Amino acid sequence: MELIQEKPDLAAYLAADDVVDHEHPLVRETAARLRAPAPDAYAYAKAAYEFVRDAIPHSHDAGDMRVTWRASDVIARRTGICHAKAHALAALLRAEGVPTALCYQRLADDDGSNAVIHGLVAVRLPGRGGWARQDPRGNRPGVDAQFSPDGERLAFAVRPEFSEVDYPVLYAAPHPVVLRALRAAPDRPYLWRTLPGAL
């Protein structure tokens, strides 16, 4: 699949906003701690990915009812669904100058019902020549996502026969329909009922 930048200017994928708030002191502090032992951008990106994947539990897997969406809150509260964790990883990577996009999949049950949008990121590492999607949702039995700039190791491979989709667009900011659902949800059960099934 060919990934398509929503914004032609790479600077858009380094920007901070109220969601990917990489100018927040906690994000900066966390990024600096992860960057200290990393000799280059690749090592830092891998460390940031593994931190978000492993040190911030996916709220569904952990049974956590809280909903987070702002990167600094995800890091502070150590919880979030896939979208929130993608926001946190984007913030950590952008804080250290690694262009990072938000991207999405449409996933469904085995009969094609109950479609939901799944969030991940794409990174552009120096010397790699293109974008590489990464999924920091968190591993569990049957899910083994790994940091892999040279070949995707995502949590889920889409199944077109069940109407699942890899969306090719790389967004500089969270998609509005996803962000609206996250911001409106008082708890995760409510969010589960209101997450969009398509972009």
Side-chain angles (χ1 to χ4, degrees):
M1 176 183 66
E2 182 182 354
L3 298 173
I4 303 164
Q5 286 182 212
E6 174 200 26
K7 306 283 188 185
D9 186 352
L10 206 56
Y13 300 93
L14 291 168
D17 58 28
D18 64 335
V19 179
V20 183
D21 58 339
H22 66 72
E23 294 171 346
H24 189 281
L26 178 59
V27 177
R28 290 288 177 177
E29 173 190 315
T30 305
R33 180 170 45 80
L34 294 168
R35 182 68 176 96
D40 56 27
Y42 175 93
Y44 173 72
K46 185 174 190 288
Y49 169 85
E50 290 178 349
F51 170 77
V52 173
R53 184 194 65 189
D54 300 340
I56 301 173
H58 188 289
S59 55
H60 176 72
D61 296 350
D64 195 321
M65 296 297 121
R66 295 174 295 169
V67 175
T68 54
W69 51 268
R70 182 179 287 116
S72 58
D73 290 338
V74 176
I75 294 168
R77 297 178 186 177
R78 291 290 204 274
T79 191
I81 67 164
C82 59
H83 301 289
K85 293 182 67 164
H87 300 164
L89 181 55
L92 289 171
L93 293 173
R94 290 182 185 186
E96 290 293 326
V98 178
T100 306
L102 298 163
C103 47
Y104 302 93
Q105 295 175 311
R106 181 183 188 269
L107 303 176
D109 289 344
D110 287 345
D111 61 359
S113 65
N114 298 315
V116 67
I117 297 301
H118 175 61
L120 49 158
V121 304
V123 299
R124 192 173 180 109
L125 291 167
R128 297 280 169 167
W131 292 93
R133 294 190 305 167
Q134 313 295 326
D135 191 341
R137 81 148 317 272
N139 290 337
R140 63 180 192 206
V143 175
D144 183 28
Q146 301 293 327
F147 182 75
S148 180
D150 298 316
E152 292 186 343
R153 298 278 307 276
L154 306 179
F156 307 105
V158 300
R159 303 167 300 171
E161 65 272 24
F162 299 117
S163 301
E164 295 184 340
V165 176
D166 277 318
Y167 290 104
V169 177
L170 302 176
Y171 294 93
H175 195 286
V177 301
V178 171
L179 188 56
R180 194 161 42 247
L182 287 166
R183 283 180 159 160
D187 55 36
R188 189 171 45 77
Y190 182 94
L191 179 61
W192 252 220
R193 296 191 301 272
T194 57
L195 272 174
L199 294 183

